[in-house]
Amino acid sequence: MSDQRPPLPPFTPETAVEKVRLAEDGWNGRDPARVALAYTVDSYWRNRAEFVEGREAIIGFLTRKWQRELDYRLVKELWSFRENRIAVRFAYEWHDDSGNWFRSYGNENWEFDEHGLMRRRLASINDAPIREAERRFHWPLGRRPDDHPSLSALGF
């Protein structure tokens, strides 16, 4: 099936870590239409206090997000997994159009269908203002380098 997004559930420790890194890589690419392909056509999200349903709504949400959150760089880390569910924690850095920097911290709970597409994403996120000098994510926009420290290594 062309709509499969390996690795597929049920997840193992290795495939859960791989799934998290693939999601991080996608979001760091900041291409809403491409990111939305990782979700079922009727995927349901709770992102902070916003509720989003379906791929088209996901594309609209991500388009607005990355128009506001400039120079976005994200690190995700596996927290836990079981069968077709994964829990992650994450941090990302961004600035607004006035040059104010933020580090956003959060947790996500993911549920996947049998094809490896995410059908449910529940996210809780908090924004912390930071000075530009406090930034920890300095790689060029796009995929995080493999040798960049994890959230745990950074003390987050």
Side-chain angles (χ1 to χ4, degrees):
M1 176 175 192
S2 63
D3 283 343
Q4 285 196 337
R5 296 292 283 224
L8 307 178
F11 298 111
T12 65
E14 296 78 20
T15 61
V17 166
E18 180 183 358
K19 196 71 160 179
V20 171
R21 181 58 193 246
L22 289 169
E24 174 190 312
D25 291 349
W27 281 62
N28 275 327
R30 296 175 300 135
D31 179 340
R34 186 171 178 166
V35 170
L37 293 175
Y39 301 91
T40 61
V41 295
D42 60 348
S43 187
Y44 175 82
W45 287 18
R46 180 189 48 76
N47 194 88
R48 302 175 192 251
E50 187 170 349
F51 297 85
V52 178
E53 194 164 349
R55 280 189 184 156
E56 290 306 312
I58 290 169
I59 291 169
F61 171 87
L62 293 173
T63 298
R64 291 187 310 276
K65 172 185 179 64
W66 290 321
Q67 286 172 346
R68 183 177 52 87
E69 296 178 354
L70 307 174
D71 290 323
Y72 175 97
R73 290 171 178 83
L74 165 73
V75 179
K76 290 185 182 280
E77 190 170 281
L78 178 67
W79 185 255
S80 183
F81 74 94
R82 182 172 175 216
E83 298 170 1
N84 70 330
R85 294 181 174 160
I86 294 177
V88 300
R89 64 191 201 95
F90 62 87
Y92 62 91
E93 294 177 348
W94 58 281
H95 67 86
D96 63 19
D97 59 2
S98 297
N100 300 304
W101 281 92
F102 299 87
R103 185 175 301 121
S104 299
Y105 299 95
N107 301 289
E108 294 175 318
N109 296 314
W110 301 342
E111 181 180 78
F112 295 88
D113 72 5
E114 67 276 12
H115 305 292
L117 296 170
M118 194 182 301
R119 67 177 159 216
R120 183 175 294 266
R121 175 184 172 269
L122 307 173
S124 298
I125 307 165
N126 296 296
D127 301 321
I130 60 172
R131 295 185 323 268
E132 187 170 3
E134 295 175 299
R135 292 179 54 218
R136 303 294 295 274
F137 303 161
H138 295 282
W139 67 85
L141 289 177
R143 187 178 192 276
R144 175 175 55 99
D146 290 333
D147 62 350
H148 189 278
S150 67
L151 294 179
S152 293
L154 289 167
F156 292 158

